[in-house]
């Protein structure tokens, strides 16, 4: 490649403000500012999130450029998350990207947040870092999405199955709230599960045709189990936290892996990747690694820093779109919901 292609990525879809710089496909920096303000509410408050993004975006972008040793004038394009996500939060990142683009007279590239998670396996710091070969299957699991995606190229993806109600991350967080755990509940369940017995409690598994997921029944089964035990034992939750966490986590893993195994069998694809916030869960990571090892498949499990919302994946997805000449117009607006 004769000309250096330098992409600034901006991510602001929910409650993390992030900026990253990619040069010729290699990651130079990835800066993230979180938002502690939501913890006391047990979930993300959209208005507070958008206000925090306004406070964070300038210093975060400045930090990403500084750590990369890149000046704004060197940028080839600015990639930003256009959706899906919280509209107020997305609007901050979208507006900033447009303004910076106009000031620098460089193009903008809009990125589907879900595409970013799927392509996070192409984030490399060294030329020798391994990346998937196409086609591959990606199990995308997060707070709002649970999907099995056949990835044919950076621009061509096919959803083979997805949740018809709650996502895996929602099941973790909603059940964690019942258990009295802080938000977000997923990491706390992961920690407690390592101390518990995954066979201590049996929760309902769905019977959904095809490759679609459902977690609503599991969540309801968990809630009824806790409610029924609390009638006779007010200390049931406190005395059984590790076992509840381990049993819940195992149920979610079983549901995820059952459909993933079917997708591998149906497609014959020999490479499997996971992405999204729930892919940081130790049980999920181990289950995918063990499944792939048993079946002789190649597994791609992202570093935990690239499982949550981050601009490195946005910059990487933007890099692919830049190479395709797929730019965005200034009249493009953010969107809250969209499929892959």
């Amino acid at each position: 490649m004769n000309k250096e292609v330098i992409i600034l990525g901006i991510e602001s879809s929910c409650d993390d403000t992030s900026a990253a710089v990619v040069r010729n496909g290699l990651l130079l920096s990835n800066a993230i500012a979180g938002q502690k303000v939501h913890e006391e509410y047990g979930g993300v408050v959209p208005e507070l999130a958008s206000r925090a993004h306004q406070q964070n975006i300038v210093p975060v972008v400045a930090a990403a450029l500084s750590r990369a040793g890149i000046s704004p004038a060197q940028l080839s394009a600015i990639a930003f998350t256009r959706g899906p996500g919280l509209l107020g939060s997305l609007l901050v990142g979208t507006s900033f990207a447009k303004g910076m683009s106009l000031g620098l007279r460089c193009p903008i590239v809009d990125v589907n947040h879900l595409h970013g998670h799927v392509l996070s396996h192409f984030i490399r710091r060294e030329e020798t870092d391994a990346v998937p070969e196409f086609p591959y299957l990606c199990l995308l699991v997060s707070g709002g999405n649970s999907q099995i995606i056949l990835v044919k190229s950076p621009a061509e993806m096919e959803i083979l199955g997805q949740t018809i109600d709650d996502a895996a991350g929602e099941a973790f967080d909603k059940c964690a709230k019942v258990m009295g755990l802080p938000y977000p509940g997923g990491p706390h369940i992961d920690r407690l599960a390592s101390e518990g017995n995954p066979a201590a409690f049996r929760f309902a598994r769905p019977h959904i045709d095809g490759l679609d997921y459902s977690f609503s029944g599991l969540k309801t089964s968990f809630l009824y189990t806790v409610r029924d035990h609390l009638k006779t034992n007010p200390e049931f939750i406190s005395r059984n936290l590790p076992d509840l966490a381990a049993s819940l986590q195992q149920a979610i893993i079983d549901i995820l892996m059952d459909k993933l195994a079917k997708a591998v069998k149906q497609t014959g694809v020999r490479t499997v990747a996971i992405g999204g916030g729930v892919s940081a869960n130790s049980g999920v990571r181990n289950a995918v690694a063990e499944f792939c090892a048993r079946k002789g498949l190649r597994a791609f499990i992202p570093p935990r820093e690239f499982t949550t919302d981050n601009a490195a994946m946005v910059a990487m997805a933007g890099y692919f779109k830049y190479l395709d000449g797929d730019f965005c117009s200034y009249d493009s607006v953010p969107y809250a919901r969209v499929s892959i």
Side-chain angles (χ1 to χ4, degrees):
M1 184 179 296
N2 296 324
K3 177 187 175 184
E4 283 197 330
V5 176
I6 302 175
I7 308 295
L8 169 67
I10 296 174
E11 156 62 22
S12 67
S13 64
C14 190
D15 60 337
D16 286 327
T17 312
S18 182
V21 177
V22 165
R23 179 172 60 198
N24 294 342
L26 297 181
L27 181 67
L28 301 183
S29 66
N30 185 43
I32 301 177
Q35 299 179 3
K36 296 290 187 181
V37 67
H38 307 287
E39 292 180 359
E40 63 180 293
Y41 299 101
V44 177
V45 181
E47 178 63 26
L48 295 180
S50 58
R51 291 180 184 180
H53 281 304
Q54 289 178 314
Q55 295 174 336
N56 293 335
I57 194 163
V58 171
V60 165
V61 168
L65 291 170
S66 175
R67 294 172 191 174
I70 296 295
S71 69
Q74 292 177 271
L75 295 177
S76 305
I78 300 169
F80 65 96
T81 301
R82 187 178 166 198
L86 301 175
L87 279 178
S89 295
L90 291 166
L91 188 60
V92 175
T94 300
S95 300
F96 186 89
K98 289 179 180 179
M100 190 173 184
S101 167
L102 286 167
L104 295 173
R105 296 185 178 180
C106 71
I108 50 175
V109 179
D110 62 320
V111 172
N112 181 319
H113 178 80
L114 304 183
H115 282 194
H117 279 302
V118 173
L119 297 173
S120 63
H121 305 281
F122 291 89
I123 300 171
R124 297 177 300 153
R125 289 192 169 93
E126 304 291 340
E127 291 282 359
T128 54
D129 291 345
V131 297
E133 293 181 358
F134 299 106
Y136 65 93
L137 285 174
C138 181
L139 175 62
L140 176 59
V141 278
S142 66
N145 300 278
S146 294
Q147 299 176 330
I148 299 177
I149 302 161
L150 178 60
V151 187
K152 302 175 184 178
S153 76
E156 187 178 3
M157 305 181 191
E158 178 185 356
I159 297 176
L160 303 181
Q162 60 187 331
T163 183
I164 61 174
D165 43 55
D166 288 347
E170 289 177 296
F172 272 124
D173 287 339
K174 290 178 180 178
C175 292
K177 188 173 183 179
V178 173
M179 296 162 66
L181 300 175
Y183 174 84
H188 297 285
I189 289 179
D190 191 13
R191 172 180 54 81
L192 289 166
S194 64
E195 307 167 10
N197 175 12
F201 299 96
R202 176 73 183 178
F203 303 121
R205 267 64 161 181
H207 298 283
I208 307 297
D209 293 335
L211 298 178
D212 285 338
Y213 284 115
S214 171
F215 293 95
S216 180
L218 166 63
K219 181 190 67 178
T220 302
S221 174
F222 178 90
L223 297 178
Y224 277 130
T225 298
V226 171
R227 185 198 64 179
D228 291 345
H229 280 86
L230 286 174
K231 290 178 181 177
T232 57
N233 181 6
E235 298 180 352
F236 169 74
I237 293 179
S238 60
R239 290 182 175 180
N240 292 277
L241 265 179
D243 287 348
L244 284 169
S247 299
L248 173 66
Q249 179 166 287
Q250 189 59 55
I252 292 175
I253 291 171
D254 288 347
I255 294 170
L256 291 172
M257 296 307 299
D258 175 66
K259 296 302 177 81
L260 180 61
K262 290 179 180 177
V264 169
K265 185 176 181 180
Q266 289 181 19
T267 62
V269 173
R270 307 300 297 171
T271 300
V272 172
I274 56 174
V278 178
S279 67
N281 179 276
S282 300
V284 173
R285 296 166 75 88
N286 292 337
V288 172
E290 291 169 6
F291 168 75
C292 289
R294 190 169 64 251
K295 296 291 184 180
L297 307 174
R298 195 177 184 196
F300 281 87
I301 300 172
R304 282 187 168 86
E305 65 181 303
F306 300 137
T307 59
T308 54
D309 296 343
N310 65 90
M313 66 182 191
V314 176
M316 196 67 245
Y319 173 72
F320 284 123
K321 294 190 75 172
Y322 179 91
L323 296 181
D324 287 341
D326 187 1
F327 302 115
C328 175
S329 66
Y330 288 112
D331 59 1
S332 298
V333 296
Y335 48 81
R337 293 183 178 276
V338 71
S339 65
I340 198 76

